[in-house]
Amino acid sequence: MNLAGRIALAVVIGVLAWATGARAEQRFPPPEFESDYQMPAMTTPPPRALVWQYIDVGVLAVALGVAVWLVHRKRSRTGVLVLSVLSLIYFGFYRTGCICPIGAPQNVLFGLLNPNYAVPWPVVGLFVLPVVVALFAGRAFCAGVCPHGALQDLVLLKPVQVPLWLERGLSLVPFLFLGAGLAFAATGSIFLICKLDPFVPLFRRHGPTWSLLLGAAFLLVGTVVGRPFCRFICPYGALLRLAAMVTKWRVRVTPDLCTQCKLCEQSCPFGALRQPSSGTPDPRTLPVERRRLLALLLLWPALIAVGAWIGAHLTVPASRLHPTVRLAEFYLEHKKHPKQYPIQSPEALSLLRAEQTWPELQAAALQLRHRIGLSMKLFGGWAGLVVGAGLIGLAVRRSRTDYEPDSGACLACARCFESCPQELLRRGVPIPLPTAASAAQPQSVVANLPTAAQTTNR
Amino acid sequence: MSWIPTSLTAALRAPGLAPLWRSVAWVAGLFSALIALGLLLQQLNPEKRDPWKSPELLALKQQLVSEPNNESLKQRIRDLDLRLRQRHAAHLARVRTGRWLLLGGLVVWVVAARQLAALRKTLPVPKPDPEAEQKAEQVAAWSRWAMAATGAGIGLALLTVAFSSRTALSPQPVAAAASDFATATELALNWPRFRGWDGSGVTLHTDLRLTWGTNSTAGIAWKSPIPAPGYNSPIVWGDRVYVSGGTAAKREVFCFDARTGALLWQRPIERVPGSPPKAPEVPESTGFAASTMATDGRRLYVIFANGDLAALGLDGTPVWSKNLGVPKNPYGHSSSLATWQDRLIVQFDQGEGEPGASKLLAFDGPTGRLLWQQSRPVEASWASPIVVELAGRPQIITLAKPWIIAYSPADGAELWRVEGMEGEVAPSPIAAAGLVLAVVPSMKLMAIRPDGAGDVTKTHVVWAAEDSMPDITSPVANDQLVFTVTTPGLLICFDLKTGSKVWEKELDLEFHASPSLVGNRLVLVSKTGVILECAAARQFKELGRSDLGEEVHASPAFAPGRMFIRTVKHLVCIGPAAQALAQQP
Amino acid sequence: MTPASPPNPPVSRRAFLRDGVRLGAMTGLGALLGLASTRSKAKPGYVWQIDPNKCVRCGNCATACVLKPSAVKCVQAYPICGYCELCTGYFVPEPNALTTAAENQVCPTAAIRRRFIEEPYYEYSIDEELCIGCGRCVEGCTRFGNGSFYLQIRHDRCLNCNECSIARVCAGDAIHRVPASQPYFIKTTAHE
Amino acid sequence: MRRLVSRRWFVGRGVVAAVLGRLAAVVGAEARAAKPPANPFAYDITKFRTIDPKWLHYQQVAQFKVPRSEARRVAIGPDQNLYVSAGNYVCVLNTAGQRLNEFALPSPVRCVAVAGDGLVYVSLRDHLEVLDSKGQRRASWESPNKKTWFTGLAVGDNDLFAADSGNRVVLRYDRSGKLLKRIGEKNPDRNIPGFVLPSPFLDVELHPDGLLRVNNPGRHQVLAFTVEGDMELAWGKPTMAIEGFCGCCNPIALAILPGGRIVTCEKGLPRVKVYSVRGELESVVAGPATFADNAKACDPTDCTTGGLDAVADRAGRIYVLDPVANDLRVFARRDGPTASSQAS
C-alpha cells in the first residue's frame, strides 16, 4: 500500500471520527433490526494526497534544473524537446492542470488578501520557482517545463514569421491579462486566468465545448504561428518576461564568436532574435528621438490616469463577474420586470435565496462592488503603466553588436543553436550539407564570413 | 541521452522516409479530424441523449398517472427507460474511447508531420541587406504605432463595455416597496370595504352579541353623530371606523375611535383637480356619498357622486385626488370602491350603454396613477365590484345590464362574461363555495362557475332560481345556504348546491341594508332600525331582535366583539361598553 | 573580440541596472514568501465541497461540472436514514406501486439500489457509477424524510479545479473550499 | 504543390474549427438568452400544494406569536388555557394569546399535558415532571427505558400515557407515577405491528370513546389501542393525495375534537386535517399555503425541522402551533355550529 493510500486511510478514519463525534449521541436512533443487519458506513474517498503536491513541486524544481542545464550547458535542442515531451506527459496529461504556475499568481494574491484562504506551500512553490529561475537563467520554464508551451511547441510545424511590429504590439496583451486576472482574483470574483485557459481542458480531455474548441483553435494556429498562447496571451509568461529581462545568464545563439552569417536570422519561430544594431544613433534623427522620449515620459502619468479612469467606470460590469453581485443584480432586475421561472429551476431558487436574505445580500454586494471598483482602478492604472512602459521601451535605442535573442521574449527553446555554424562546429556536429533546394547556399556563407570579420574589426 | 536521440532522429529523418511520413501524416490527420468532428457533434447536443429528458418517456409516465392499472403501459415505460439508459451509457463510453483515439491520432499525426517538416527543412539563404538599418527604423516606427493601437483598442473596448452597462443595485432598500398593502389575513380580520374584505357580508369575528331585546339600549356600546349625510356603510381598520359624508357644498371623510366612538378627525375632500365648480344634481335617494370607502390597510380611498376620487393616509393626510368626470347616472353614482394588493378598483358605469361610457379602472394606490382601464359594454349600474380569489386566480366580478363580467386585477384582461342582467342593477355579487352569486333585480338569482373563459352564458351558469328577488340588497351565503331579502321584507333561503328554495319567510319589515352572516347567525337591519337575528339554518328561526329607533340604509360593519351600524344621523357601535373592552386583547 | 573580453561601457551600465533590479525582485519574492509563511501555517490545501445545509437541489451539479458525468454524487448517511418502505427519495411523488419498477423510481438513471432488510425496513444505497448528481432524490428525501440523502463532491473524481465551475452557478451558494483534511460534510442532524 | 495543399488543409481545418467554435458559442449564448428551460430534475409537488376548496371548511380567526422561542408542542387545559412547550419553558396563554403564566424547567420541554385537576405533566427528553397549576414541582418520574425520547403525552382521570419515540412504545402510568403497561410494542401474537418511526414524532391522545389514538407515522396510520394495549383499529393510507398521508412519516401529531373527530398534523406538505372516528377525511383545516414558512423549512435543511401540532378547545376551534414561524393560528368552522358558543 503506497504512501498516498495510507494517507487516504488516515483521512477517512479522521473524517469518520469527526462524524461520529460530539453530536452523535443527539442523533435519533435508527431502527433496531432484528435480523443481523450491519449498517454500512458512508465511504469518503480522499482527495489527491498532500505529498503529491509536494512531489509536484519537486518534479518542477528538477525539471527546471534540467532545463537550465540543457539550455546553458548542454545547449541541446533535442534535450529540450525530450524534456518538454516528458513535462507534457507529467504536468499535462498526468496531472491535468490545477494548480499550475500559470494560475498560481491568482491563488497567491487571493490568499494574501482573503483571511479564510491561506495559500498552501506547494502553490507558493509553483509560483516562485519559475520566476527565480527566470531571474538568473531566462525562461527555462517556458522552454521545456510548462506543458502549455510544450504542447504548442510540439505542434509547431511550419513556422511563419510574425512581423516584428505586430509582435511588439501584441506583446502588451499578456500584461493586461495578468493585471485583469489578478484584479479579479484579489476580490474573489473569478479566477479568470483558469477560466479562460485553453489547454487544461485538452489535458483533461473533458470540459465545456467552447473551451475545448478554443484549445483546438490555438493548436491549429500554433502549427504555423509559434506558440501563440505563450507569446500573445500567457499572463505568467508576461511575469517571466519581466524577470528574464534582467536575467543574469542570458541565452545566446553561441557563446563563441558571432560571424554575422545571418543563418540564425530566420531560426527563431517566436520572433525573439534581434539583429545587430549600432548603438551610435543617426545624428539627424537623434533630436527627434530625444523629444519623443521626453514626450512619452511626460505622457506616462496621463496614460496611467486615463487607465484608472476607465477602470473606475468598469466597476459595474466587472462586479457582475462575482456571483454574489450578479445574484443581487438579477434579483433587482427580476423585481423590476418579473418573469416566471420554472419550478425549482436554478433561477427560481436563486431568487428565493435572494428574497430570503435580501438585506445581507444587498450589503455584501455593495461592499464587494466597492472593493472591485478599487481593484478595477488599480487594473486600469496598471494598463496605462504597461502601455507607457512599452512605448518608452521602444523609444530608447539599444545597441547590439551580434545576433542575439531578446532576453525577455526568448523562450529558451534552443532552436537557434542548431542553426549557428559556429555552434555546430563547437559541438562537433556535422554542418548540414546543402540540399538540392538551395545550391547557391555555400557561397553565400563564405561570402559573408569576411564581411563579418570586417564588422567585428571595426 | 545525447547520442541516442540524435542518431535516432538521424535514422528517422532518412530522406527516403518522406513519402512514408507523408502518408502517415495524412492518414492520422484525417482519422483525427473525423474523430474530432464526431466528438464535437456528440458534445454539441447531449440533451438528446439524456434519458430524463426524453419527451416520449415523460409522456408515457404522464399517461400512467391517468391510467394507473395499465400493465402494458408500465411494460412500455420499463422497456423505454432501459433502452434510453443503455443508450446513455453507450454514449458516455463512446465519448471516453473517442477522446483517447483522438489523442492517439493526434500524437501520430504530430510525430509524422514533424518528421516531414524536418525533412523539408532547408537552410535559409540569407543575402546581405544594405538598408537593414532603415528597415529597423521603419519597424521601430510601426512598432510604436502597433503598441499604441493595441493600447487604444483595448481601452476603447473596455470603455464601450463600461458605458453600455447599467445597474439597479444601490444602497436603497427595495423590499419596502414590495408590500405596500395589507396581507389577505389582515384584510380578512378587518372590514376594509363594503360588506367586508371579499364583499360577502360574512365576518370572521363570530363571538359578539347582536341583539339584547327590544326595550332597552343595553347592547349599544356607544353612539356618535355623523356630521354629514351619506348612505355609505362604515369600514373598519384596526380600532378605527371610517365613513364618508357629503352635500352639494362639501364632501368629507370621518374617522371614529372604535372603542369610544370619539370622532378623531374629519377631512374635507376639496380642491380636487378637474372637479366641477358646481356640484351636479343628484337625487335625495342616493346623495353625494352613497359609495362605501375602501382601504388597502395603508391608505383610505373615497369616491363621491360628482366624480371626485381621493386617497388619504390612515391618519387623514391627503395622498392624491382626481376627478373622473360627473357620471351620467339617473340616481347618482353609488358603486362602492374595491382594492387589490396596492391597487384601487373603480367600477364607473354610466349612460345607456353607448360605447366607451362605462369603464372599469385600476389606480396605483400610492401614486394614483391609472394602471389600466377597460371600457364596458354596459349601462349605468349601482352594484359594487368584488375582488376574490376564484378558480385559482384573482378575479374582479362586476354586475351591470346586460353583462356579468370577470376581469383579472393584474392587467384588466377580461376572464369570462355571462349575459342576463336586467333592470336597474343595484345588488352586488358575492362569492361562496367557489361559485359566483348574482341577483337579477326582482327576477332571479344566478350561480356561476367562475373557471370559464369568454362568453360562458351557455356553459357555466350552474343554476338560476326565478323568484321575487331584492332590487337593492345583496345576498349572503355560507357554504351550504344562500339568503336574500327583498325591500318589502321577503326573506328567502336557497340551497347553494342546487338553487332549490329551502324556505321563505315574510318579515314585517322593510330593508335597504344587506344581510350579514355572523358564524351561523343571519343578521338583518331594517329600514326602521330593527336588528333581526335569526339562524342561518335549513329552518327559519328567529334568535332575537332589538331596535335602534333610527332609520338605517347602510349595511353593518364588524370588528372583534363589535358591530357598527350607520343610521341616518349616527354611527352606532353594538357590543360591550368601552370600559369592558379595555380588558379584551 | 572573445567572450572573455570585457563588454563595452554601455552594456556594463545596463548590467549594473539589471543586477539592481534582479536584487529588488529577489527581495520582493523573499518578502512574499515571508508574508505567505505568516498567512499559511502549512495548510494541507483545500478542496471544493457542498454544504448540504445550503444546497437547494437546483440540478446544476449534474450539468455544470467540467466532468461528464459530474463529480458530484448523492451519498447516503445510513445512521440518519429511516429505512422507510415508502422512501420519498427513491419513489416518485405518487408511485404507482412500491416496487423497483422503472415507472416508480425518481432517479433518472436508476442509481439507487433498494434492498429489503426486514419488515418494514429497506436499505437504500447509491451506485456512483450511475449517479449523475442531479439531486432529485435528495429533494424528495429532504422534503419529506430525514435528509439522509445529500449531495457531495466525490474527491476520487473531482479534478479540484482552481475555479469550480459548479460553485460559480450554485443557486444555493453551497459550494466552497474546505480544508483538505476534512473533505466531506458528514450529516449528523439531531432529529428534534 | 502538395505542401501548399497541406498548408491550406491546416488552415482550412483551423477555419472550420473556428467557425464551429463560434457557432457553438452563439448557440450557447442564445440557449442562455432564451427563456429558461424547465429543470429536468425538478421534484415537482406543486399540484399537492393547493387544496381543493371543497375541503376547506375552516377559516383562520386569529393568529398570535408564542412569547418564547423554540415552541414545540401545545396542550389545552380544563380552564381552556393553552399550555405551550417552548424552549425550556411552559407558557400558559389564554385563547387570545395573552401570556397568563410561565413555568421554567431545567432543559428543553418536549411536550406537555394538563389533567382535569389542573396538574401539569411535562416531559423533558428522558423523564417526566409533574407540576401543579402554579408551576411548583410535585414529582419527577424516570423512564424505565434507555435512550428514552418522549414526544407525546396524554392524561386521563387516572392514567398518564407517554409516547417514547426512542423505544417506540407508549407507556401507561397511573397518576402516582407507577408504570402500568407498555403499549404498542411489536407483537405478532396480538397482531400489533409496532411503531415505525423514521423520525421522533410519536404522539398519543386519549379519545372520549376510552381508546387511545396513537399515530404510526412510518406506516402512515392512526392506531387505536385500549388502555390494556389491545389494538382495536387502524386507518390511514400512504398517498400524496389529500385524503391520505404522504412522505416518509406522517401524521406526526393528533388532536381530538369535541364529538370525537380526529385532527391530524403533517410535515413535509404541512397540512392539518379532520378525520371521522372511522378515518374518513371530513375537512382540511389548512394546508401548505397557510404554513408557508413551515413548508419552506423543509428546504434547505431537512424536514425534521418542520412539523406542526394542534389542540381543539371545547368550542371546536382548532389551535395549530407552527414551530417554524413560532406562532399559533386559530381556526373555526365557516358554517360554525361551534362558532356561536363563547370561548374563554
Side-chain angles (χ1 to χ4, degrees):
Chain A
M1 167 177 211
N2 64 355
L3 185 50
R6 244 176 273 124
I7 288 171
L9 188 68
V11 171
V12 173
I13 291 166
V15 168
L16 290 182
W18 176 59
T20 53
R23 305 188 55 208
E25 58 84 24
Q26 275 201 327
R27 190 184 298 142
F28 180 67
E32 295 144 343
F33 299 103
E34 288 152 1
S35 55
D36 54 359
Y37 167 71
Q38 289 308 317
M39 187 179 286
M42 179 183 136
T43 61
T44 56
R48 192 164 177 275
L50 179 63
V51 266
W52 281 102
Q53 303 177 26
Y54 284 109
I55 290 172
D56 293 336
V57 179
V59 176
L60 178 72
V62 173
L64 282 170
V66 174
V68 170
W69 177 71
L70 284 171
V71 173
H72 287 270
R73 278 268 164 288
K74 197 83 173 65
R75 304 180 61 78
S76 152
R77 167 63 191 160
T78 328
V80 173
L81 199 61
V82 173
L83 176 63
S84 58
V85 170
L86 294 178
S87 309
L88 178 61
I89 292 169
Y90 182 82
F91 291 111
F93 287 99
Y94 164 64
R95 239 200 99 236
T96 62
C98 297
I99 301 165
C100 74
I102 300 178
Q106 303 171 113
N107 297 66
V108 173
L109 188 61
F110 183 59
L112 290 180
L113 297 180
N114 182 329
N116 41 28
Y117 174 79
V119 204
W121 277 117
V123 180
V124 179
L126 288 179
F127 168 67
V128 169
L129 283 177
V131 180
V132 173
V133 171
L135 279 170
F136 287 88
R139 298 168 67 171
F141 175 74
C142 304
V145 182
C146 173
H148 293 54
L151 187 58
Q152 295 172 84
D153 209 312
L154 288 175
V155 300
L156 174 55
L157 299 171
K158 311 172 70 58
V160 298
Q161 293 287 348
V162 177
L164 186 55
W165 56 270
L166 184 57
E167 174 100 28
R168 282 174 170 157
L170 292 180
S171 66
L172 282 182
V173 177
F175 291 94
L176 301 186
F177 191 22
L178 177 66
L182 291 181
F184 284 116
T187 52
S189 306
I190 179 176
F191 279 14
L192 199 62
I193 299 173
C194 302
K195 191 80 182 168
L196 298 182
D197 189 303
F199 296 123
V200 169
L202 299 184
F203 296 147
R204 291 173 173 162
R205 304 175 306 283
H206 271 288
T209 313
W210 66 266
S211 66
L212 286 166
L213 288 170
L214 187 65
F218 265 106
L219 287 188
L220 289 167
V221 176
T223 54
V224 286
V225 177
R227 293 197 182 198
F229 180 77
C230 302
R231 285 154 76 192
F232 306 129
I233 308 289
C234 180
Y236 194 63
L239 210 58
L240 293 180
R241 185 192 199 111
L242 290 177
M245 278 181 185
V246 299
T247 185
K248 190 166 184 62
W249 302 291
R250 319 180 48 175
V251 178
R252 315 187 72 102
V253 181
T254 170
D256 308 339
L257 167 68
C258 170
T259 62
Q260 310 258 333
C261 65
K262 296 177 186 280
L263 282 175
C264 59
E265 209 174 50
Q266 302 299 312
S267 69
C268 181
F270 311 128
L273 210 59
R274 299 280 178 266
Q275 294 180 348
S277 60
S278 62
T280 55
D282 179 339
R284 281 163 298 144
T285 57
L286 188 56
V288 187
E289 295 188 2
R290 287 238 171 82
R291 256 183 270 113
R292 185 185 297 130
L293 183 56
L294 192 64
L296 282 171
L297 283 171
L298 293 175
L299 196 63
W300 209 1
L303 276 174
I304 295 173
V306 171
W309 177 76
I310 296 179
H313 286 79
L314 278 172
T315 305
V316 168
S319 55
R320 292 222 172 93
L321 282 177
H322 195 295
T324 306
V325 184
R326 195 173 54 218
L327 176 59
E329 299 248 18
F330 177 46
Y331 173 71
L332 292 172
E333 180 56 31
H334 180 77
K335 274 239 164 288
K336 236 194 274 123
H337 314 290
K339 190 152 168 259
Q340 198 51 47
Y341 288 101
I343 166 80
Q344 255 187 298
S345 62
E347 293 83 0
L349 290 166
S350 315
L351 286 172
L352 180 65
R353 175 160 64 93
E355 183 76 52
Q356 286 165 349
T357 67
W358 175 247
E360 303 86 67
L361 179 66
Q362 187 188 25
L366 286 167
Q367 189 189 352
L368 274 164
R369 174 190 281 173
H370 175 72
R371 290 182 51 199
I372 292 170
L374 208 64
S375 65
M376 278 298 116
K377 282 197 203 71
L378 288 174
F379 161 66
W382 162 256
L385 185 87
V386 167
V387 176
L391 290 171
I392 290 170
L394 288 177
V396 295
R397 157 180 297 272
R398 293 220 181 64
S399 73
R400 258 188 236 85
T401 54
D402 299 351
Y403 279 87
E404 60 183 28
D406 174 291
S407 56
C410 173
L411 298 171
C413 67
R415 274 195 180 77
C416 50
F417 303 171
E418 312 249 293
S419 66
C420 176
Q422 300 282 39
E423 179 72 1
L424 296 179
L425 281 172
R426 197 176 62 82
R427 283 167 54 196
V429 182
I431 300 178
L433 290 172
T435 59
S438 57
Q441 191 248 347
Q443 294 88 325
S444 67
V445 177
V446 178
N448 286 332
L449 282 171
T451 52
Q454 286 150 18
T455 45
T456 45
N457 301 345
R458 183 174 62 198
Chain B
M1 69 165 277
S2 61
W3 59 273
I4 301 167
T6 40
S7 60
L8 195 64
T9 45
L12 289 175
R13 295 189 181 167
L17 291 179
L20 171 68
W21 287 130
R22 179 176 304 128
S23 40
V24 171
W26 272 96
V27 173
L30 284 173
F31 173 79
S32 317
L34 289 178
I35 299 268
L37 204 61
L39 283 176
L40 188 65
L41 295 182
Q42 296 265 324
Q43 185 109 11
L44 274 182
N45 47 8
E47 292 75 11
K48 292 231 180 348
R49 266 169 235 76
D50 291 346
W52 49 90
K53 285 186 189 158
S54 152
E56 190 186 357
L57 185 60
L58 296 175
L60 285 178
K61 286 186 173 172
Q62 198 50 48
Q63 190 185 346
L64 185 66
V65 175
S66 49
E67 40 197 287
N69 301 324
N70 183 338
E71 287 308 321
S72 69
L73 178 59
K74 289 182 196 171
Q75 199 48 50
R76 262 163 63 215
I77 291 178
R78 291 165 198 168
D79 299 343
L80 178 59
D81 174 80
L82 182 62
R83 207 162 63 247
L84 287 171
R85 287 189 290 113
Q86 281 168 339
R87 200 176 66 181
H88 182 64
H91 158 70
L92 290 178
R94 204 159 48 238
V95 169
R96 212 174 302 120
T97 44
R99 286 171 177 147
W100 281 113
L101 286 177
L102 179 60
L103 186 62
L106 286 176
V107 168
V108 175
W109 176 73
V110 165
V111 171
R114 286 183 65 85
Q115 298 310 325
L116 211 52
L119 281 167
R120 293 208 182 106
K121 190 140 96 229
T122 56
L123 285 175
V125 191
K127 283 169 242 49
D129 184 354
E131 63 272 10
E133 288 284 323
Q134 293 85 316
K135 279 224 181 100
E137 293 299 331
Q138 196 58 51
V139 169
W142 287 0
S143 306
R144 282 191 290 276
W145 287 118
M147 202 170 268
T150 317
I154 292 177
L156 284 177
L158 292 183
L159 264 182
T160 43
V161 174
F163 287 104
S164 62
S165 57
R166 299 265 161 281
T167 177
L169 181 56
S170 72
Q172 283 83 38
V174 291
S179 73
D180 195 13
F181 54 90
T183 63
T185 319
E186 276 183 276
L187 290 170
L189 292 173
N190 282 284
W191 199 263
R193 50 154 288 164
F194 179 59
R195 306 196 74 213
W197 66 295
D198 60 353
S200 65
V202 178
T203 175
L204 304 185
H205 306 291
T206 56
D207 50 358
L208 53 91
R209 196 169 66 161
L210 301 164
T211 55
W212 56 91
T214 42
N215 43 20
S216 82
T217 61
I220 299 183
W222 50 260
K223 180 169 175 179
S224 309
I226 302 176
Y231 291 99
N232 65 80
S233 310
I235 65 170
V236 180
W237 194 261
D239 53 8
R240 298 280 184 271
V241 187
Y242 305 92
V243 295
S244 68
T247 62
K250 186 172 182 193
R251 289 153 299 276
E252 292 182 276
V253 172
F254 305 95
C255 170
F256 294 85
D257 183 323
R259 295 164 181 264
T260 63
L263 173 60
L264 296 173
W265 52 261
Q266 59 189 99
R267 165 77 56 184
I269 306 300
E270 46 202 6
R271 288 192 297 286
V272 177
S275 183
K278 173 173 166 308
E281 289 297 318
V282 291
E284 272 308 306
S285 57
T286 50
F288 279 87
S291 309
T292 301
M293 303 166 58
T295 177
D296 55 18
R298 305 290 183 269
R299 286 159 301 273
L300 302 164
Y301 304 103
V302 62
I303 187 170
F304 296 101
N306 65 347
D308 282 357
L309 179 66
L312 304 175
L314 292 177
D315 56 358
T317 51
V319 178
W320 54 265
S321 64
K322 58 182 62 191
N323 184 284
L324 301 179
V326 178
K328 297 215 309 303
N329 188 321
Y331 302 128
H333 187 74
S334 69
S335 296
S336 299
L337 298 173
T339 66
W340 180 72
Q341 293 185 352
D342 60 352
R343 295 172 175 197
L344 170 64
I345 311 291
V346 184
Q347 180 178 349
F348 202 69
D349 294 345
Q350 53 182 329
E352 281 79 38
E354 54 271 47
S358 301
K359 287 199 217 65
L360 184 70
L361 308 137
F363 298 94
D364 180 36
T367 63
R369 190 164 49 89
L370 177 66
L371 293 172
W372 52 260
Q373 63 173 337
Q374 280 283 357
S375 75
R376 291 161 49 73
V378 298
E379 302 183 8
S381 76
W382 300 266
S384 305
I386 59 171
V387 187
V388 278
E389 186 87 16
L390 286 170
R393 52 188 180 177
Q395 306 193 11
I396 306 174
I397 314 286
T398 61
L399 303 187
K401 180 179 171 185
W403 290 105
I404 304 168
I405 310 184
Y407 302 87
S408 155
D411 51 7
E414 178 175 326
L415 299 172
W416 52 265
R417 59 163 69 187
V418 167
E419 189 159 21
M421 294 305 291
E422 298 176 41
E424 293 171 338
V425 179
S428 303
I430 64 168
L435 293 175
V436 168
L437 299 172
V439 166
V440 182
S442 37
M443 294 178 80
K444 63 178 172 186
L445 176 64
M446 297 165 79
I448 299 154
R449 240 179 35 254
D451 54 1
D455 184 345
V456 294
T457 314
K458 304 256 176 311
T459 55
H460 281 60
V461 178
V462 182
W463 52 261
E466 307 233 343
D467 209 317
S468 61
M469 279 292 117
D471 56 353
I472 295 175
T473 64
S474 312
V476 68
N478 61 26
D479 55 8
Q480 286 145 11
L481 304 171
V482 191
F483 304 91
T484 62
V485 62
T486 61
T487 312
L490 176 63
L491 175 61
I492 310 184
C493 169
F494 297 92
D495 182 301
L496 177 54
K497 304 277 168 300
T498 63
S500 56
K501 187 192 291 187
V502 181
W503 51 260
E504 73 175 30
K505 169 80 177 166
E506 282 285 357
L507 300 168
D508 49 0
L509 297 162
E510 250 189 87
F511 294 96
H512 284 173
S514 300
S516 315
L517 262 184
V518 179
N520 60 347
R521 295 174 292 170
L522 184 64
V523 185
L524 302 143
V525 184
S526 82
K527 188 152 166 276
T528 57
V530 172
I531 306 175
L532 180 70
E533 174 183 5
C534 47
R538 293 191 167 273
Q539 294 81 23
F540 173 80
K541 177 160 172 293
E542 179 169 329
L543 300 173
R545 32 172 106 198
S546 299
D547 195 346
L548 296 172
E550 271 191 80
E551 250 190 54
V552 175
H553 303 280
S555 306
F558 297 87
R562 303 189 200 82
M563 169 167 70
F564 301 97
I565 300 173
R566 180 184 193 155
T567 68
V568 283
K569 295 248 173 301
H570 294 90
L571 180 61
V572 182
C573 173
I574 314 295
Q579 61 275 21
L581 283 164
Q583 284 82 22
Q584 280 221 354
Chain C
M1 81 187 180
T2 68
S5 69
N8 339 353
V11 183
S12 78
R13 202 191 308 122
R14 288 180 181 292
F16 174 74
L17 206 68
R18 284 218 295 272
D19 293 343
V21 177
R22 194 184 312 121
L23 201 66
M26 287 305 289
T27 43
L29 285 177
L32 184 69
L33 284 177
L35 212 56
S37 62
T38 58
R39 290 280 292 101
S40 61
K41 315 228 173 338
K43 279 277 188 314
Y46 299 83
V47 292
W48 296 98
Q49 193 47 279
I50 302 172
D51 178 349
N53 296 326
K54 293 172 94 184
C55 170
V56 294
R57 283 92 53 190
C58 62
N60 273 341
C61 284
T63 53
C65 182
V66 294
L67 292 178
K68 296 269 175 300
S70 166
V72 176
K73 305 288 176 197
C74 172
V75 296
Q76 162 73 298
Y78 296 93
I80 65 171
C81 176
Y83 288 79
C84 310
E85 180 176 14
L86 167 54
C87 172
T88 47
Y90 183 85
F91 290 113
V92 293
E94 258 182 324
N96 180 280
L98 298 189
T99 68
T100 60
E103 68 271 17
N104 304 326
Q105 291 190 37
V106 80
C107 178
T109 57
I112 309 178
R113 301 248 174 283
R114 182 179 199 245
R115 186 162 73 89
F116 176 73
I117 306 290
E118 70 186 50
E119 178 61 19
Y121 298 125
Y122 290 78
E123 178 195 84
Y124 298 91
S125 47
I126 309 293
D127 178 343
E128 293 195 357
E129 286 309 314
L130 297 180
C131 177
I132 57 167
C134 69
R136 196 190 266 175
C137 58
V138 179
E139 177 71 10
C141 179
T142 311
R143 194 172 279 287
F144 296 105
N146 295 352
S148 64
F149 279 159
Y150 62 104
L151 291 174
Q152 287 285 278
I153 294 175
R154 304 300 273 170
H155 295 299
D156 51 347
R157 301 169 186 270
C158 175
L159 299 169
N160 200 15
C161 303
N162 218 0
E163 175 74 19
C164 174
S165 50
I166 314 175
R168 284 199 65 73
V169 294
C170 176
D173 186 30
I175 304 185
H176 293 284
R177 286 192 171 88
V178 300
S181 53
Q182 283 185 359
Y184 292 92
F185 280 82
I186 306 294
K187 255 196 176 184
T188 58
T189 314
H191 291 178
E192 302 185 291
Chain D
M1 272 311 92
R2 239 183 199 308
R3 292 162 54 189
L4 289 175
V5 173
S6 67
R7 180 186 294 128
R8 227 183 261 131
W9 184 58
F10 295 145
V11 177
R13 262 183 70 185
V15 172
V16 169
V19 169
L20 282 179
R22 274 210 57 76
L23 270 180
V26 169
V27 170
E30 273 174 349
R32 256 174 271 104
K35 79 167 182 59
N39 179 358
F41 307 119
Y43 182 96
D44 192 350
I45 55 163
T46 31
K47 68 171 175 172
F48 304 109
R49 290 230 169 119
T50 53
I51 288 170
D52 182 343
K54 78 168 195 254
W55 292 113
L56 291 168
H57 304 150
Y58 282 79
Q59 66 203 2
Q60 180 172 331
V61 294
Q63 174 176 13
F64 44 82
K65 282 268 162 211
V66 175
R68 292 277 179 183
S69 62
E70 286 177 62
R72 282 198 184 76
R73 301 296 297 274
V74 58
I76 192 159
D79 50 9
Q80 293 296 294
N81 286 336
L82 300 169
Y83 292 70
V84 183
S85 61
N88 293 6
Y89 295 86
V90 173
C91 306
V92 186
L93 315 173
N94 68 10
T95 49
Q98 288 166 312
R99 176 168 17 178
L100 306 175
N101 200 347
E102 191 168 76
F103 315 144
L105 286 112
S107 63
V109 183
R110 301 289 148 171
C111 42
V112 55
V114 188
D117 56 16
L119 282 185
V120 181
Y121 293 83
V122 172
S123 80
L124 308 181
R125 178 168 160 179
D126 55 358
H127 70 282
L128 299 164
E129 303 220 331
V130 187
L131 314 175
D132 64 19
S133 52
K134 300 270 157 298
Q136 294 312 314
R137 187 139 173 263
R138 289 289 189 76
S140 173
W141 304 349
E142 290 311 317
S143 151
N145 309 321
K146 294 198 302 301
K147 59 189 181 61
T148 293
W149 194 304
F150 285 124
T151 51
L153 278 183
V155 55
D157 295 338
N158 30 32
D159 304 289
L160 176 90
F161 302 92
D164 176 354
S165 291
N167 300 285
R168 295 165 167 81
V169 63
V170 174
L171 303 173
R172 175 183 169 199
Y173 296 85
D174 68 12
R175 295 288 296 278
S176 65
K178 186 154 138 305
L179 182 64
L180 300 178
K181 265 239 167 322
R182 302 171 63 86
I183 301 173
E185 281 173 311
K186 184 167 186 175
N187 182 344
D189 315 341
R190 301 170 67 181
N191 65 54
I192 298 175
F195 299 120
V196 180
L197 303 179
S199 49
F201 290 102
L202 185 66
D203 194 12
V204 56
E205 296 291 342
L206 191 51
H207 193 276
D209 63 13
L211 298 179
L212 295 175
R213 291 298 189 279
V214 189
N215 62 327
N216 191 1
R219 298 282 202 172
H220 307 92
Q221 284 191 323
V222 175
L223 312 179
F225 290 92
T226 64
V227 294
E228 294 311 316
D230 297 315
M231 197 175 108
E232 292 299 323
L233 69 133
W235 52 266
K237 67 173 197 294
T239 163
M240 282 227 172
I242 190 71
E243 55 278 1
F245 301 112
C246 66
C248 87
C249 24
N250 271 320
I252 55 168
L254 305 172
I256 312 287
L257 279 162
R261 288 175 305 156
I262 295 158
V263 183
T264 62
C265 304
E266 295 168 60
K267 68 186 174 75
L269 286 173
R271 302 195 285 210
V272 180
K273 300 186 262 179
V274 176
Y275 285 85
S276 75
V277 184
R278 298 243 147 281
E280 299 102 5
L281 178 64
E282 292 200 338
S283 45
V284 177
V285 177
T290 313
F291 305 104
D293 294 355
N294 200 302
K296 265 198 226 95
C298 284
D299 49 331
T301 62
D302 66 74
C303 205
T304 50
T305 57
L308 297 165
D309 189 22
V311 290
D313 68 9
R314 256 189 238 115
R317 296 174 191 223
I318 300 172
Y319 302 80
V320 181
L321 175 74
D322 179 343
V324 176
N326 213 66
D327 65 3
L328 271 155
R329 294 164 184 264
V330 188
F331 297 89
R333 260 189 101 80
R334 288 230 171 83
D335 54 347
T338 66
S340 57
S341 56
Q342 298 295 308
S344 75

